[in-house]
Amino acid sequence: MDLQIAAILVPLLGWAVHGSVLAYRLASARRDPLTGLHTRAGWTARAEHCIRRHPSTAVLLVDLDRFKTLNDTHGHAAGDAALVATADRLRAWCGRHGTAGRLGGDEFVAVVRDLAAADLDALTAALNRPLSYNGVSLPLAASVGVCHLPELPVPLLTDALAAADAAMYATKGRGRRGSRLSH
């Protein structure tokens, strides 16, 4: 190989490898290492894109009920299994019509293009289905708050999250597992 060509190719190859490593790190930073769901930053970018493109978008906030008790009673590995199961169930429900994320702790979020096409009762049932863990049936319970963006004066993600959060706490306040739409 000609030395001039090598002198050009070696630095280019180095930059290509460096760029690949940086792209991998960025992608990894946008995924929760435990659940594989998008982190807040990754999910927010996708949710804002969805809101701009689909006027009937809905935002959901999911919070596990009595998660601390589950962790304290069965251990942190069981708590991690509950978080992974919740993430899998939420991801499956979103399918190709939405995106799920983990905000942190036991809080999850989703955005779906069309709530009318999604079966909210199926999500609620899935999130409240017990989890088999090491031969024990762990009780899983979740409260879901939903904000249908067309009901907001201005369809902003921050306002949708606040409305979904209020609806989720209203569900918890009723002392029932399930979901509630914002109004």
Side-chain angles (χ1 to χ4, degrees):
M1 180 186 297
D2 188 0
L3 285 177
Q4 287 180 327
I5 293 173
I8 293 170
L9 289 180
V10 169
L12 289 176
L13 180 61
W15 278 108
V17 169
H18 180 72
S20 296
V21 168
L22 288 178
Y24 174 77
R25 286 185 178 172
L26 180 60
S28 296
R30 293 185 178 205
R31 292 279 180 180
D32 175 58
L34 177 64
T35 64
L37 292 180
H38 294 283
T39 60
R40 181 183 299 265
W43 180 83
T44 298
R46 290 176 181 272
E48 288 176 342
H49 177 76
C50 185
I51 288 168
R52 283 191 303 274
R53 295 195 60 196
H54 303 282
S56 59
T57 298
V59 172
L60 291 78
L61 192 63
V62 176
D63 188 68
L64 294 181
D65 299 333
R66 298 179 295 283
F67 181 70
K68 183 178 179 343
T69 302
L70 185 144
N71 244 352
D72 292 347
T73 304
H74 300 282
H76 291 287
D80 286 352
L83 294 171
V84 169
T86 300
D88 290 345
R89 294 168 185 184
L90 187 57
R91 181 186 300 109
W93 180 79
C94 285
R96 296 186 342 243
H97 306 288
T99 302
R102 180 175 176 211
L103 296 181
D106 63 340
E107 277 194 336
F108 297 84
V109 68
V111 60
V112 290
R113 289 182 215 140
D114 185 3
L115 187 59
D119 185 352
L120 192 54
D121 291 335
L123 173 63
T124 301
L127 294 175
N128 288 289
R129 192 173 63 240
L131 169 67
S132 178
Y133 176 77
N134 286 344
V136 175
S137 180
L138 300 178
L140 289 188
S143 296
V144 180
V146 181
C147 176
H148 196 219
L149 264 82
E151 296 174 2
L152 294 177
V154 179
L156 295 174
L157 181 58
T158 53
D159 294 343
L161 283 169
D165 190 49
M168 187 264 305
Y169 275 102
T171 299
K172 282 187 179 286
R174 290 194 323 252
R176 293 181 21 212
R177 300 176 209 162
S179 61
R180 181 178 174 99
L181 296 171
S182 67
H183 294 294

